[in-house]
Amino acid sequence: MKQKILEDIDKEKEMLISLGDFIFDNPELGLEEFKSSKKLIDILKSNGFKIEVGVGGFETAFKAIYENGVGGPSIGLLCEYDALEGMGHACAHHLQGPSILGAALSLKNNLKDENYKIVVYGTPAEETIGGKVQMLEKGCFNDIDVALMMHGAPDTTTDVKSLALSNFTVKFHGVRSHAALAPEKGRSALDGLLILFQGIEFLREHVREEVRMHYTITNAGGPANVVPKYAEAKFSLRSYDRAYLNHVIERFKKVVQGASLMTETDYEIIETKSLNNKIPVLKLNEILMDNARLTNAPRISPPREKTGSTDFGNVMYHVPGSCIRVAFVPQGTSSHSDEFLVAGKTEEAHDAILLGAKILAGSAYDIITNKEYFDEIKREFEENKNKSNKI
């Protein structure tokens, strides 16, 4: 049966590749992916999936459900389809929808004697606002037991972890005065920022090694001969552990407060983005990689230990999940690059669509048909999440 499921994906090769090329040729920014999401929805609907559009409060988000029997595992298959501003699909999001559809349709059409549910989630705006965060807050992903994704990459591999991220805008409000004639009457908002930056540099020495803190000035307040009344900066704080990052954030806020007191200015702290770290489930990674080997995927490599931040981390903080990265560009190639873009419609990219579909379908089959796998995945997730919640 598993072999039949994998072989059935090849029968849809022309449709899946055409779909990927269409999304590539019609790049749409986050929350504007109307053409891409409609294409995916239309195919799922015509194949008997129950469709919900606009889930999570986004017009271009959707959920497609197929259930066989009752009481079996609910497999979530998540796909992104937003492009990069000014670049197009230089992160290979155009490969995800076709791969997810290939896996979902093959399972639905062939696996008739098991109890299971497939839930395909279309998730917009990963590159900008991290759409999965709001979708999660609005109740999405509560109906799945496992979350699976695919992503084009230089190597075929999985991730062990990702960086939790919190972005902040900090604003200082001071008192304007003539910098030469009456400096004593002024209270410099820019001084507040500069002291804050210095405080962060001292804080670096007293946090865990993996913590990242970076910043930039977005408004310096005006000309040199005026004590600036207003200044603004953006900050990104990261750690592989959300609980520890929350601890760092509290210290960061105290540094802001201290800079405000030292300069006699007022301040605002506005959180603009919050992404959780992935909770690793090595058993799930193992299942994905076993199926990658089964399908002879190219450049199979050890799991990535160091990665950036992603809104999929918030989903993987909520349910067990993993993403199979499928090689289609030369090793060492960076995403968000011209090289990724140029490779978007190559034979390797088309192969990645089919391989990703087979790896996901084979992995879903293993989880559905092997209760020991399913139980081990849930147990490891709970254990690792409990560890992550302790500083």
Side-chain angles (χ1 to χ4, degrees), residues 13 34 51 64 118 200 205 214 233-234 237 249 265 304-305 320 381:
K13 177 178 179 178
F34 294 103
I51 306 294
I118 301 169
I200 287 176
E205 185 182 357
H214 28 282
K234 294 186 182 298
L237 309 180
I249 289 168
T265 55
R304 302 195 313 168
E305 291 285 346
F381 172 74

Side-chain angles (χ1 to χ4, degrees), residues 54-86:
V55 297
F58 297 128
E59 285 186 76
T60 54
F62 68 86
K63 178 167 68 172
I65 303 169
Y66 171 78
E67 189 163 11
N68 194 74
V70 292
S74 178
I75 308 297
L77 300 174
L78 282 57
C79 60
E80 302 157 354
Y81 29 80
D82 59 323
L84 291 160
E85 186 172 2

Side-chain angles (χ1 to χ4, degrees), residues 7 24 54-55 62 85 102 113 154 179 205 219 227 260 263 305 314 331 353 371 384 388:
E7 290 174 355
F24 183 88
V55 297
F62 68 86
E85 186 172 2
D113 297 329
E205 185 182 357
N219 189 327
V227 175
S260 169
T263 54
E305 291 285 346
N314 291 58
Q331 285 184 310
I353 290 173
K371 188 176 184 304
N384 289 343
S388 181

